[in-house]
Amino acid sequence: MRDFFKRVEEDGSEIYIESDMSAYGYSERYSWLFSVFIKFDASKNSQESFEEFLETKEALIIAVEHDGGAKYVGSRVVDGWNELYFYAENAKSLNAVVSKMLSNSGYVYESSVVKDTKWNFHYKNLIPSALESAHIQSEKIIFMLQEEEDDLEVPRLVEHYVSFTTPTQKEKFLELLPFEDFSFKDEISGEDFENGLALVKEHAVTEEEVRKNVEQLFEALKTEQGFYEGWSTTLVDGDESE
């Protein structure tokens, strides 16, 4: 399954990342990192050109993965370059595959291969952080609310879930409440985590507002090494959302 997220670098630049979250299952088999860089700036091309590029990208992924010798693990969009990354069992023949696909395509491209037995590039550059994973999950919830034609601008009570390794950490975190209008609702515990808390706050569920509140909680949780577990809410008309 592929997930998409935006990463803001220290210099303020934005990188758009596509990541196959199941790819690590191939790490014991594939040890060569094969990269294909294709020049294409979506902001400077028409929708038709963009769709043609996406078709080319998917066709290239299928061609490189053919016969099971390589696995597509994700891509990045940086300064008008689309960087596609694969891990391969043996990357010697992959340059020929790319050349056959792209030499007459009109795209400027380049490819390279390096040894990366421990998948360090994958971990550092393609795997979302805990905060980025929370934002990915938020976008999925917001999409479901939009599918129900919910008005995201309307504030409503939103439950945010956090957890801790020990009961002591949980109790110390409770002493911080209330902050940023978050308040305690209930203690929770389940198969996925123990020492959990349900916090509640009234706010809109636009992407901007949700990101702000999630990031506030992440910052507060650092004091007791807590974990953010997600959020849920109801539709404006009172129906439950998932």
Side-chain angles (χ1 to χ4, degrees):
M1 181 182 70
R2 300 182 194 174
D3 281 309
F4 301 84
F5 62 99
K6 178 176 68 177
R7 174 168 292 168
V8 180
E9 300 288 84
E10 291 183 0
D11 62 1
S13 62
E14 296 180 345
I15 297 177
Y16 294 88
I17 300 173
E18 177 185 63
S19 179
D20 185 339
M21 304 300 288
S22 64
Y24 188 67
Y26 294 81
S27 61
E28 293 186 3
R29 179 178 172 186
Y30 300 148
S31 59
W32 291 93
L33 174 65
F34 180 64
S35 310
V36 183
F37 289 13
I38 307 173
K39 186 69 172 178
F40 183 84
D41 191 341
S43 66
K44 297 180 180 179
N45 286 271
S46 66
Q47 180 65 28
E48 182 179 357
S49 296
F50 180 59
E51 291 175 357
E52 290 176 357
F53 171 75
L54 290 181
E55 290 177 359
T56 300
K57 172 186 171 182
E58 292 303 320
L60 178 63
I61 291 171
I62 291 170
V64 173
E65 288 188 329
H66 184 65
D67 290 337
K71 172 63 179 175
Y72 174 71
V73 297
S75 64
R76 306 192 308 170
V77 179
V78 185
D79 296 331
W81 285 90
N82 289 258
E83 307 173 356
L84 281 61
Y85 295 100
F86 304 81
Y87 277 88
E89 195 170 23
N90 185 340
K92 291 182 179 180
S93 63
L94 298 183
N95 280 316
V97 173
V98 172
S99 178
K100 182 178 180 180
M101 290 286 300
L102 297 180
S103 59
N104 295 318
S105 67
Y107 296 115
V108 175
Y109 72 94
E110 57 187 60
S111 61
S112 64
V113 60
V114 295
K115 192 79 168 180
D116 187 13
T117 305
K118 295 183 178 180
W119 282 43
N120 290 325
F121 183 89
H122 181 255
Y123 277 123
K124 181 179 179 180
N125 297 287
L126 296 176
I127 294 297
S129 66
L131 179 57
E132 289 166 341
S133 293
H135 288 327
I136 291 170
Q137 188 59 36
S138 291
E139 290 173 2
K140 293 177 180 179
I141 297 173
I142 290 170
F143 175 78
M144 288 190 289
L145 293 173
Q146 290 173 320
E147 288 289 289
E148 296 295 331
E149 300 184 349
D150 190 16
D151 187 348
L152 306 180
E153 298 282 351
V154 178
R156 80 288 304 276
L157 290 178
V158 180
E159 291 186 15
H160 292 265
Y161 309 107
V162 300
S163 67
F164 303 86
T165 304
T166 69
T168 300
Q169 290 172 331
K170 179 183 70 175
E171 295 302 321
K172 287 184 176 180
F173 183 81
L174 281 172
E175 294 175 3
L176 297 175
L177 293 173
F179 65 87
E180 301 290 352
D181 295 325
F182 287 99
S183 58
F184 169 76
K185 180 179 181 180
D186 200 4
E187 296 190 24
I188 53 177
S189 182
E191 294 182 2
D192 295 331
F193 57 87
E194 297 180 351
N195 305 308
L197 297 172
L199 309 178
V200 66
K201 179 178 178 178
E202 184 173 343
H203 62 78
V205 290
T206 60
E207 180 180 352
E208 180 180 4
E209 191 67 16
V210 170
R211 288 179 71 92
K212 180 185 75 174
N213 283 282
V214 169
E215 289 173 8
Q216 287 172 343
L217 277 176
F218 260 81
E219 188 63 29
L221 286 165
K222 290 179 182 178
T223 61
E224 298 301 331
Q225 294 79 51
F227 305 94
Y228 185 76
E229 304 290 353
W231 59 276
S232 67
T233 190
T234 57
L235 297 170
V236 171
D237 64 6
D239 293 334
E240 294 289 332
S241 71
E242 298 182 5

